[in-house]
Amino acid sequence: MSEENGHKTINGKAEKCPYSKACGGCDLQGSRYKRQLSKKQKLLNELLGEFGEVRPVIGMSDPLHYRNKVHHAFKRDRSGNVLSGPYEKGSHWVINVDDCMIEDEACQCIIHTIRRLTKSCRIKIYNEDTDEGILRHVLIRRGFSTGEIMVVLVSGSRKVPDLKRFISQLVMIHPEITTVLLNINHGKSSMILGPDREKLLYGPGYIKDILCGKTFRISAKSFYQVNPVQTAVLYSTAISFAGLTGIETVFDAYCGIGTIGICASDHAGNVIGVELNPDAVRDANINAEENGIKNIKFYNDDAGRFMRRMAKEGQTADVVFMDPPRSGSTKEFMSAVIDMAPSRVVYVSCDPETLARDLKYFTAHSYRVKKIQPVDMFPFTRHVEVAVQLLRTNDAAFVK
Ligand code: SAH
């Protein structure tokens, strides 16, 4: 096997991941990377072409092992070996995956050690049917620039035996692990992490990463983009679409741990961020403080409700960044933005279908699409990010 043009090949033919059918995570397996990009481009042209020219998707020079967040469910086979991987598509059957093409290799190596240690330390694997046992999932996150690694052990039971020996061996073998947490999840849903706060087992409870020259602290439950190389490309595109000159009032809606707003803050007058997840807002506030940023404020609220209140209070905006989840935004949010009349809206989307729906709304209400830039954050899968610049039609003539 060799790597050619960013793709594992066997005798020049694109290799297909042996787990792809059962796993279902990568829809574009078996296609060379260039072909994957042209498939995405075609789909984007179909969905977004009516709003303007879709620029060529920015791809990766090395699209393998880009995912800095790795999650495995655990099981034991009949011979007592510990196995792990994703659930089979549409079920709770764990597929044993030893080598994934898109997962970070350092994280995968830790998963292999955890399998071995689970066996030697006699840690029981959780059984969903009987609700007995301990280890259910492992979530690993790696800070791309810092190399810091977080391991979250997810237990299916509240009664967890002493994990000291397990943890001390794990961090001795992998000194790159800087923090280990325990999360309890004995629910039946497919959520990886349970709702309660994690118990800290080792280190500070978070990792740090550097993005666009700023340092970010990331907790277990906070959203953080999974492809750090392409995130830098996406954010710099989005910030350039905002056309900031240092005096603008900027909103960063659906802000997560504050990444876009913090990266934009040096170029803006002031920034207001809003996010639903309280852990992410706590991270965002600490991130602002640790980067010495004084012109930013974060609120923990539903983005639609918050923007409606801002609009009612007569708050204006020059630029609104919005980066909603896959389900897209809401009429409540968009109508409030339209009332606040920013001259530019920068929409960062991870789902072109809901993006098209929301662009229809904006373009029917005084905005027009000026630029559409897709960035491939998820090679081998059908997913793609898109940054869109919308201009208020009254102002459109004056902005390049
Ligand atoms: N801009 C951030 C996060 C984008 S992901 C980044 O690039 O890292 C989308 C974020 O929207 C998540 O953090 C999620 O918690 C948040 N979110 C989901 N629904 C929301 C809502 N109704 N109001 C505010 N935030 C929401």
Side-chain angles (χ1 to χ4, degrees), residues 278-298:
D279 287 2
V281 176
R282 192 193 55 203
D283 285 348
N285 279 317
I286 295 169
N287 288 333
E289 204 179 306
E290 290 196 348
N291 285 290
I293 295 166
K294 304 258 185 282
N295 62 342
I296 199 161
K297 207 164 165 26
F298 293 102

Side-chain angles (χ1 to χ4, degrees), residues 222-225 231 234-235 252-260 274-277 280 301-304 323-325 348:
S222 299
F223 176 89
Y224 189 64
Q225 299 282 2
T231 301
L234 180 73
Y235 286 178
D252 177 10
Y254 310 90
C255 69
I257 59 169
T259 39
I260 296 177
V274 59
E275 161 64 45
L276 197 57
N277 175 343
D301 204 344
D302 168 77
D323 185 7
V348 177

Side-chain angles (χ1 to χ4, degrees), residues 315-354:
Q315 169 76 50
T316 55
D318 299 302
V319 174
V320 172
F321 287 103
M322 55 187 288
D323 185 7
R326 283 208 181 121
S327 53
S329 191
T330 58
K331 282 200 178 141
E332 184 184 30
F333 178 88
M334 292 185 287
S335 64
V337 170
I338 289 157
D339 288 350
M340 287 163 78
S343 49
R344 295 176 287 290
V345 174
V346 180
Y347 194 139
V348 177
S349 158
C350 54
D351 185 327
E353 283 187 26
T354 55

Side-chain angles (χ1 to χ4, degrees), residues 100 164 239 394:
C100 168
K164 268 198 192 117
I239 291 167
N394 293 348

